[in-house]
Amino acid sequence: MTKHILITGANRGVGLALVDAYLADGWQVYACCRQPEQATALQQRRQAHPTLTLLALDVTDHTAITALSRQLADVSLDLLINNAGYYGPKGYGFGNTDADEWREVLEVNTIAPLKLAEAFYPQLSRPQPGIIACLSSKVGSMTENTSGGGYIYRSSKAALNSVVKSLSNDLLPQGIKTVALHPGWVQTEMGGPNALISTSTAATGLKQVLDSLEAHQSGSFLDYQGNLIPW
Ligand SMILES: NC(=O)c1ccc[n+]([C@@H]2O[C@H](COP(=O)([O-])OP(=O)(O)OC[C@H]3O[C@@H](n4cnc5c(N)ncnc54)[C@H](OP(=O)(O)O)[C@@H]3O)[C@@H](O)[C@H]2O)c1
């Protein structure tokens, strides 16, 4: 039976590579992005893949999230990937934190994943319970934070990890697994040119981790190679 995935921030970077990985495996892909009419890479893939549906979604627009869930009321989802992310300002240090930017980063990285999980809970519940995967980051780990700085992005992903843990505790009894994933340091606009791995390496690895995800791994923090990351 065809499997169904909804992914946010699908127009570029890791999100686009995840779209490719799931299309290649025959999934029906609901690819969300802010401006589908400008998402040329997704539009090109649409030509070759009738199993790709492009949808408009700014993940900070909670009314739009609810409307999208209503639009997809009859769809069953095997997987929701909360991929959309925003780093916020780079290069600032202690003493120069922009609180407005911090709020914006929290909207995208922390609040939106939970709002999407809440909105698409019905679709993730049937006929088989699905998976909620949230793109976190190793820099959100307390243990890994030995260098300081990065207050805004680090705190947004640490808070996302907390959301993942609560989702897992709340939803695993119904069979829905939730996981926080670190994609590696990836060559994207966010990762920059010095990053270590390509988007396809990250996406292939993340898909393998999700394909073999077991119930006991729900509520954990895993990298794209399946290694456990300490909180
Ligand atoms: N790259 C890395 O090394 C790395 C490492 C650790 C974790 N991550 C995480 O992995 C995920 C993907 O990262 P990436 O490197 O692919 O980032 P990216 O290249 O900067 O792409 C970010 C994506 O998120 C979308 N987005 C941002 N704000 C949005 C909003 N309000 N509504 C909907 N979409 C929005 C962007 O859409 P627009 O094109 O419309 O801006 C874009 O599609 C993120 O959650 C990131 O934090 C990345």
Side-chain angles (χ1 to χ4, degrees), residues 9-15 34 57-60 83-85 108 135-137 153 157 182-186 188-191:
N11 56 308
R12 60 186 169 96
V14 174
R34 286 195 273 202
L57 183 67
D58 180 327
V59 297
T60 64
N83 165 78
V108 178
L135 269 287
S136 181
S137 172
Y153 186 72
K157 295 297 190 180
H182 171 63
W185 186 17
V186 194
T188 64
E189 209 169 301
M190 188 186 293

Side-chain angles (χ1 to χ4, degrees), residues 6-33:
L6 186 142
I7 175 162
T8 62
N11 56 308
R12 60 186 169 96
V14 174
L16 183 61
L18 285 166
V19 168
D20 286 337
Y22 282 92
L23 285 176
D25 198 25
W27 288 49
Q28 168 70 47
V29 178
Y30 296 94
C32 302
C33 61

Side-chain angles (χ1 to χ4, degrees), residues 17 183 186 196-208 224-225:
V186 194
L196 298 177
I197 60 171
S198 68
T199 55
S200 71
T201 299
T204 304
L206 292 169
K207 184 172 181 300
Q208 279 170 2
Y224 73 107
Q225 294 174 312

Side-chain angles (χ1 to χ4, degrees), residues 3-157:
K3 292 191 164 189
H4 297 70
I5 174 177
L6 186 142
I7 175 162
T8 62
N11 56 308
R12 60 186 169 96
V14 174
L16 183 61
L18 285 166
V19 168
D20 286 337
Y22 282 92
L23 285 176
D25 198 25
W27 288 49
Q28 168 70 47
V29 178
Y30 296 94
C32 302
C33 61
R34 286 195 273 202
Q35 292 172 304
E37 67 287 353
Q38 288 176 25
T40 47
L42 281 177
Q43 286 169 17
Q44 281 163 5
R45 283 153 178 81
R46 178 80 186 87
Q47 307 295 322
H49 295 279
T51 53
L52 174 61
T53 303
L54 271 61
L55 297 160
L57 183 67
D58 180 327
V59 297
T60 64
D61 183 343
H62 302 169
T63 306
I65 291 175
T66 304
L68 188 61
S69 174
R70 288 208 185 104
Q71 184 185 334
L72 301 180
D74 296 331
V75 169
S76 299
L77 287 179
D78 298 280
L79 180 56
L80 162 66
I81 301 190
N82 282 306
N83 165 78
Y86 177 44
Y87 192 89
K90 290 186 175 172
Y92 74 96
F94 172 73
N96 292 299
T97 305
D98 182 329
D100 287 334
E101 279 291 311
W102 195 353
R103 287 186 193 95
E104 181 62 23
V105 171
L106 289 170
E107 284 283 352
V108 178
N109 295 357
T110 313
I111 299 172
L114 179 58
K115 295 306 288 181
L116 275 136
E118 289 176 339
F120 285 95
Y121 170 69
Q123 291 89 336
L124 285 159
S125 303
R126 57 160 198 260
Q128 304 293 329
I131 298 174
I132 300 166
C134 298
L135 269 287
S136 181
S137 172
K138 206 172 177 174
V139 303
S141 162
M142 305 296 161
T143 311
E144 299 280 337
N145 184 355
T146 52
S147 60
Y151 292 90
I152 292 179
Y153 186 72
R154 281 189 194 280
S155 64
S156 73
K157 295 297 190 180

